[in-house]
Amino acid sequence: ISYQLATAADASAFAHCQIEAFMEDRFYQAAFGLTPTSPPEQMQENIKYRIKRYQRRLKEPQVHWIKAVDDSTGAIVGISGWEEPESRWPKASGEGGEKELKWLSSWNKEFIEEYDKKLEEATKAALGDTKGFWCTCSLTEFEFTLCAVGSNCGH
């Protein structure tokens, strides 16, 4: 496994990595309505949205992503990103890191907004006015979850 800086050209692999990593996750299912049995058109809508989002995000100076590449196959098997908190998630009002927010039909808008509100409150309670960075990690292949890909991306 090698670790490299990601570019906008990695957007498609990142979108697939993210969806595959969280497909079985109950939070992800409740928020985004995606399950292993979701209709193909619903899956494609979510993938297209995420590709566009990653293409835009990977060009932003306050967003830093690293990819873990399986050297034997060339596949991206892990991703890790650091982002300024204000750029992490678009607000329903249109404020925030992204210029426009498109709610996909499968998304549970109320659930996502409530989660985001609680996350912001917990972050403020823990950090006060201190600026911090978000770190996220997604793994796409189960066999790599025990190989410290996420930890290594984080370092």
Side-chain angles (χ1 to χ4, degrees):
I1 305 266
S2 60
Y3 300 90
Q4 306 161 18
L5 290 176
T7 68
D10 299 315
S12 180
F14 273 39
H16 285 88
C17 184
Q18 178 188 17
I19 287 176
E20 289 176 28
F22 294 107
M23 186 63 64
E24 302 283 341
D25 183 78
R26 289 181 19 204
F27 168 83
Y28 204 77
Q29 291 173 356
F32 302 110
L34 292 178
T35 67
T37 59
S38 292
E41 57 275 2
Q42 182 179 341
M43 190 68 67
Q44 283 305 112
E45 178 185 45
N46 276 271
I47 289 171
K48 285 179 184 178
Y49 174 85
R50 283 170 175 75
I51 289 171
K52 287 180 183 176
R53 185 169 192 250
Y54 277 121
Q55 286 171 334
R56 183 171 56 248
R57 308 272 305 139
L58 287 166
K59 295 176 185 174
E60 295 177 4
Q62 72 273 26
V63 176
H64 309 280
W65 285 82
I66 293 179
K67 59 185 174 182
V69 179
D70 179 345
D71 294 328
S72 64
T73 65
I76 294 175
V77 297
I79 60 177
S80 184
W82 294 263
E83 305 179 8
E84 293 179 15
E86 291 79 17
S87 72
R88 183 186 70 86
W89 185 257
K91 306 294 182 235
S93 64
E95 301 169 5
E98 295 192 25
K99 293 178 178 62
E100 97 184 45
L101 171 63
K102 176 184 176 188
W103 292 100
L104 300 184
S105 60
S106 64
W107 290 10
N108 183 337
K109 182 178 176 180
E110 293 75 26
F111 181 88
I112 294 169
E113 288 178 334
E114 181 64 21
Y115 169 81
D116 203 40
K117 178 182 170 191
K118 288 180 180 180
L119 182 61
E120 287 178 18
E121 290 170 357
T123 301
K124 182 148 180 86
L127 298 176
D129 291 327
T130 303
K131 295 289 183 186
F133 285 85
W134 290 97
C135 178
T136 59
C137 186
S138 301
L139 302 174
T140 185
E141 296 184 28
F142 178 75
E143 63 193 80
F144 291 99
T145 61
L146 303 176
C147 298
V149 171
S151 297
N152 289 332
C153 280
H155 292 287

